[in-house]
Amino acid sequence: MCSNGGMRWSGQAIDATRSDALPGLESNSGLVRSVTTPEFAGVTFHEVLAKSALNRVPAADGSGTYGWTINPYRGCSHACVYCFARPTHTYLEFDGGADFDQQIVVKTNVADVLRRELRKPSWDRHPVALGTNTDPYQRAEGKYRLMPGVIRALAESGTPFSILTKGTLMRRDVPLLVEAARSVPVDLAMSIAVYDDELQQQVEPGTPTTAARLATVRAIRDAGLTCSVFLMPVLPYITDTRAHLDDAIGRAAAAGASSVMYSALHLRPGVKPWWSAWLQRTRPDLVERYRSMYLDNTYAPKDYRRWLAERVRPILRAHGMGLGTVDPTTGSMGFSNRLVNAGGAPTTPAGAVPGAGLATPAGAGPGAAPTTPAGAGSGAGLATPAGARPGTAPATRAGVISGPSPFEEQSRPTTSPLKRADPGFDQRLAPRVEPSLPTLF
């Protein structure tokens, strides 16, 4: 069934605009229809005609650098509890919980709009990142098939691009990506944060299985393209044991991953209530520990990040994996042909398509060094790792070990490892907390 009156936006008058709307959706007149289908039970697709496709993303540090992103969809049926992009859905007067998972905005004309923008004389072929806000290969892409048009438009215009996804639908477009990589640098990455099937279904209920994603990495590598693995986020006390990190990095290496990027869980305003509700339902034993780590913080404490880096570094060495770099503005792979191996030396990814991944990140000055992200990996299992995790409050129960860390902190981007498309979000929007949700942080 479909309708064109179901979307809860204010100002439904023709050509009504909102200054705080998502890029390209300032005018509500773009709403075409709202659709439900038995194939996607509980999900409503809001088909819109976007005014723009390219989003300019200025760096949050005031440096004057910037990047470009494309988001064919808003909201994401992957339903990852920890997703940093949840609060952006409140721009459309949806909530960041169930609405983010089930009310999906589809920019049906994104490829046509993109072609028009790329033809402008002012377009200087900056690298463009996809998947740094919501996933371009979420389940809806199987129905709407927006990505082939986007890929062709970028390649035909000579614009380098990167794609980060949890979706195995990217495998459908491998032949097209191989063709594009003959013309422009193409960087691909698969996000795989959890390697225990039961835990993965709890925390990422709408995603393909870990095995299916690893098989997609292998298919991409077999086609001659590079493909990194994002082990993001590492969940403190849940996926940060040596055994589980070793399993995660080992399986990524076995799948042929070109490099690994990792970072610890970070909880932004508007995400904490949804994460805390999940934690109370599934791991009430960890509520106090998470409160001590994230009560006044977005990122995990510095000592924890140092501790995690010391744990991950020898595992990367053991599996011969390089540590990839992340563009601190867009959260993409940074279009770098340099990997940092576990010993700190640069390496070149094996099997790279000639010319792929060699462009300088948008806004980077000549000779600028790549930035290395903060730690992360995955695994699963729920046991407490041996050894102290710094950054928590003094122990009140057995098994909590506190104290300063003797380890050095791994380097990380100056902005979020997964940069949202609107850097002014935190200043303009107070997080919406539903009355029924416990507020732990």
Side-chain angles (χ1 to χ4, degrees):
M1 59 179 293
C2 66
S3 69
N4 54 14
M7 202 165 196
R8 292 187 285 111
W9 284 338
S10 61
Q12 289 295 308
I14 296 296
D15 296 329
T17 62
R18 290 185 53 174
S19 61
D20 62 345
L22 290 169
L25 297 181
E26 296 87 353
S27 173
N28 297 334
S29 62
L31 178 61
V32 176
R33 60 176 185 167
S34 296
V35 182
T36 60
T37 171
E39 305 158 74
F40 297 87
V43 178
T44 300
F45 298 108
H46 303 287
E47 300 175 356
V48 303
L49 297 178
K51 293 169 61 178
S52 63
L54 290 163
N55 307 312
R56 178 168 164 151
V57 185
D61 58 7
S63 64
T65 61
Y66 61 95
W68 294 88
T69 66
I70 299 172
N71 296 297
Y73 303 94
R74 307 303 283 180
C76 185
S77 59
H78 284 160
C80 302
V81 179
Y82 53 73
C83 183
F84 74 96
R86 287 184 173 278
T88 63
H89 227 44
T90 61
Y91 291 168
L92 303 179
E93 298 185 10
F94 292 129
D95 68 44
D99 285 353
F100 181 82
D101 305 335
Q102 299 171 358
Q103 305 292 328
I104 309 301
V105 177
V106 184
K107 301 178 184 179
T108 56
N109 64 334
V110 65
D112 292 335
V113 174
L114 177 61
R115 287 190 187 93
R116 184 172 68 242
E117 292 176 331
L118 296 174
R119 284 196 298 265
K120 292 180 179 178
S122 58
W123 177 244
D124 53 6
R125 296 179 177 83
H126 274 292
V128 172
L130 293 103
T132 60
N133 192 50
T134 55
D135 201 308
Y137 282 108
Q138 59 182 282
R139 288 179 61 213
E141 173 61 16
K143 170 182 172 64
Y144 287 100
R145 300 182 66 87
L146 302 181
M147 285 298 292
V150 169
I151 292 168
R152 289 190 183 96
L154 291 168
E156 290 167 3
S157 71
T159 300
F161 64 93
S162 67
I163 302 173
L164 170 64
T165 183
K166 289 184 171 76
T168 55
L169 274 166
M170 183 160 63
R171 194 167 182 171
R172 177 199 69 193
D173 292 341
V174 165
L176 186 58
L177 291 165
V178 169
E179 181 181 347
R182 295 190 181 106
S183 304
V184 298
V186 175
D187 279 355
L188 306 176
M190 182 64 65
S191 176
I192 314 175
V194 181
Y195 286 70
D196 174 89
D197 291 342
E198 181 179 355
L199 179 62
Q200 182 242 334
Q201 285 302 305
Q202 290 177 357
V203 77
E204 303 172 345
T207 60
T209 66
T210 298
R213 280 181 267 174
L214 288 169
T216 301
V217 173
R218 170 50 65 191
I220 292 168
R221 298 292 284 124
D222 287 347
L225 298 169
T226 59
C227 186
S228 301
V229 168
F230 273 46
L231 298 174
M232 298 182 180
V234 169
L235 307 177
Y237 299 98
I238 301 175
T239 63
D240 61 357
T241 68
R242 282 191 183 93
H244 301 138
L245 291 169
D246 183 73
D247 179 58
I249 294 171
R251 291 172 69 182
S258 308
S259 65
V260 170
M261 290 84 149
Y262 71 96
S263 67
L265 176 70
H266 65 284
L267 295 172
R268 294 186 175 276
V271 180
K272 288 180 180 180
W274 308 106
W275 176 258
S276 66
W278 179 86
L279 205 63
Q280 278 207 324
R281 290 194 308 270
T282 61
R283 292 304 306 274
D285 57 308
L286 296 181
V287 167
E288 290 300 324
R289 291 176 178 176
Y290 271 79
R291 180 183 286 133
S292 72
M293 294 179 73
Y294 292 100
L295 177 63
D296 298 316
N297 302 300
T298 292
Y299 291 96
K302 184 180 293 186
D303 282 348
Y304 177 85
R305 298 197 305 267
R306 290 172 175 166
W307 173 89
L308 184 60
E310 187 70 13
R311 174 154 287 189
V312 170
R313 197 173 295 123
I315 299 174
L316 289 170
R317 280 197 299 266
H319 292 286
M321 288 302 303
L323 181 64
T325 59
V326 175
D327 183 332
T329 303
T330 63
S332 71
M333 285 66 75
F335 295 93
S336 174
N337 65 326
R338 290 167 56 86
L339 303 177
V340 180
N341 67 25
T347 64
T348 301
V353 171
L358 304 180
T360 302
T371 309
T372 304
S378 180
L382 306 178
T384 300
R389 288 174 180 75
T392 58
T396 56
R397 299 191 303 272
V400 182
I401 304 172
S402 63
S405 170
F407 305 123
E408 296 181 359
E409 181 185 13
Q410 69 272 30
S411 60
R412 69 186 184 91
T414 55
T415 57
S416 167
L418 295 174
K419 185 70 183 69
R420 68 164 65 83
D422 184 355
F425 169 79
D426 287 329
Q427 287 72 43
R428 292 205 316 272
L429 184 66
R432 279 176 54 166
V433 180
E434 297 298 322
S436 59
L437 290 174
T439 304
L440 302 181
F441 300 109

